[in-house]
Amino acid sequence: MVTEEKKSVFRVGNAAFINPVLLASGPAGYGLEYSGMIRLARLGGVVTKTISLKPRAGNPGVRLRETGSGLLNSVGLENVGAARFFGEKLPAILEAGIRPVVSLAAEDWDDYTQLLDETSCHRDVDVVELNLSCPNVERGGLAVGTDPAKVDSYVKEARSRLPGVALLAKLTPNVQDIASLAAAAEGAGADGITAINTVIGMDIDIGKRRPVFRMVRAGLSGPAILPVALEAVWRAARAVKIPVMGAGGISSVGDAMKFFMAGAAAVQVGTAIFYDPGLPERIAEELERSGLPARI
Ligand SMILES: Cc1cc2nc3c(=O)[nH]c(=O)nc-3n(C[C@H](O)[C@H](O)[C@H](O)COP(=O)(O)O)c2cc1C
């Protein structure tokens, strides 16, 4: 007989998660920052802050700005770099009982292949999310995630350099046709899709008569993007057979249920943990109680 808990086990490739509720890459840092506030071992997993080969200081100037129903960020992929991540952060994450999904991004092809090779040395890493979609980095990220041919070559390269690792391709909503990008990722060997990253936006400081963010553009997240994310997941889930993780604007248990109904196999919570850190666990509890809502 299938128990309630087993019913909500989530799998992508060879990787299994105790439930289909994860923290999205970024807001929770490496997970450790939230270990006093969220019982992270009760969640399916934590997608780490995106790691690049070399450490990145991130963008200068203003990085976060609240909007009417969301958050603009221009963090610019600040991270400790691969060597410190694998040497210090990953052992601490595992020690804390957190189930990591390692998020990777590269500034160019050379960095990318080195980063994949570095990742392949760490047997504890069984699932990777390729961040093909960060809108804050001038080189690399945006071009990769908006072009099916580049998605194909980046995912193929990861597939060949990380043979036993489950691969998630994280897509940007800032494209005409997310379904073709999801299909390209699947065709290149991805085991799952994550949709969506932030929506491009900007803000203006009216007193200074200039953009709030140095890079002008920033990434919009939070409740404002929920309808965009739902539609993207709906379309991506119909374009591929691999599981889709839904992210974008989840700020209640009901929002998460909408993603499952749209076709998601799992959800990721990001911005909401800044003001409601108990939300991911409440979603997991509701799924344990009622099972996964059927796709509509
Ligand atoms: C402050 C902040 C930092 C983020 N950093 C990353 C990142 O490093 N890598 C990534 O793939 N997504 C990053 N994201 C995007 C989130 O993972 C998520 O895809 C997006 O915010 C939509 O979900 P949400 O509305 O629940 O936040 C970041 C989002 C925020 C708000």
Side-chain angles (χ1 to χ4, degrees):
M1 204 174 126
V2 180
T3 65
E4 282 301 307
E5 198 178 13
K6 277 187 181 152
K7 255 205 273 181
S8 55
V9 165
F10 167 62
R11 284 176 197 281
V12 59
N14 292 327
F17 300 81
I18 59 161
N19 63 52
V21 184
L22 291 87
L23 299 190
S25 176
Y30 301 100
L32 302 161
E33 295 87 333
Y34 268 82
S35 53
M37 257 181 285
I38 303 178
R39 289 189 292 177
L40 295 164
R42 298 261 299 126
L43 302 182
V46 174
V47 188
T48 67
K49 177 75 198 156
T50 295
I51 307 302
S52 48
L53 183 65
K54 305 266 159 48
R56 283 181 59 96
N59 290 337
V62 176
R63 288 182 168 192
L64 294 176
R65 179 61 57 101
E66 259 184 86
T67 70
S69 57
L71 178 70
L72 279 167
N73 93 79
S74 177
V75 173
L77 289 193
E78 177 184 351
N79 76 93
V80 297
R84 262 192 74 197
F85 175 76
F86 289 116
E88 293 173 24
K89 301 288 183 188
L90 185 61
I93 290 168
L94 295 169
E95 176 72 29
I98 300 169
R99 199 268 187 262
V101 174
V102 177
S103 171
L104 301 178
E107 294 179 27
D108 56 40
W109 186 257
D110 214 40
D111 271 20
Y112 185 60
T113 54
Q114 285 186 58
L115 184 58
L116 293 173
D117 286 345
E118 169 75 41
T119 305
S120 72
C121 300
H122 300 277
R123 301 209 170 273
D124 290 328
V125 178
D126 67 341
V127 50
V128 156
E129 186 176 83
L130 301 171
N131 177 3
L132 303 173
S133 48
C134 182
N136 298 326
V137 180
E138 280 169 308
R139 293 190 294 151
L142 187 60
V144 171
T146 54
D147 177 352
K150 288 213 171 100
V151 167
D152 176 75
S153 52
Y154 272 72
V155 174
K156 271 189 183 141
E157 196 65 19
R159 181 69 295 151
S160 77
R161 288 181 193 253
L162 300 173
V165 174
L167 285 182
L168 286 159
K170 183 167 180 182
L171 301 180
T172 172
N174 304 306
V175 291
Q176 195 77 39
D177 179 19
I178 201 162
S180 61
L181 293 155
E186 181 181 44
D191 299 294
I193 301 291
T194 302
I196 58 175
N197 209 313
T198 52
V199 175
I200 291 176
M202 72 176 281
D203 197 4
I204 291 176
D205 184 323
I206 50 176
K208 295 181 181 152
R209 295 187 54 78
R210 64 170 190 238
V212 166
F213 299 103
R214 295 268 181 94
M215 312 291 286
V216 182
R217 300 191 310 179
L220 182 64
S221 62
I225 71 167
L226 180 95
V228 177
L230 265 185
E231 197 270 345
V233 166
W234 169 276
R235 278 206 288 145
R238 276 153 188 76
V240 296
K241 293 202 170 58
I242 51 178
V244 176
M245 285 211 199
I250 295 175
S251 55
S252 68
V253 172
D255 289 345
M257 300 307 148
K258 291 180 187 179
F259 276 93
F260 291 110
M261 291 184 188
V267 291
Q268 296 183 2
V269 182
T271 302
I273 66 162
F274 287 140
Y275 55 89
D276 186 7
L279 175 62
E281 199 174 330
R282 292 203 306 280
I283 298 170
E285 282 166 2
E286 179 55 29
L287 293 173
E288 268 166 36
R289 219 180 353 259
S290 326
L292 285 187
R295 187 168 164 166
I296 55 169

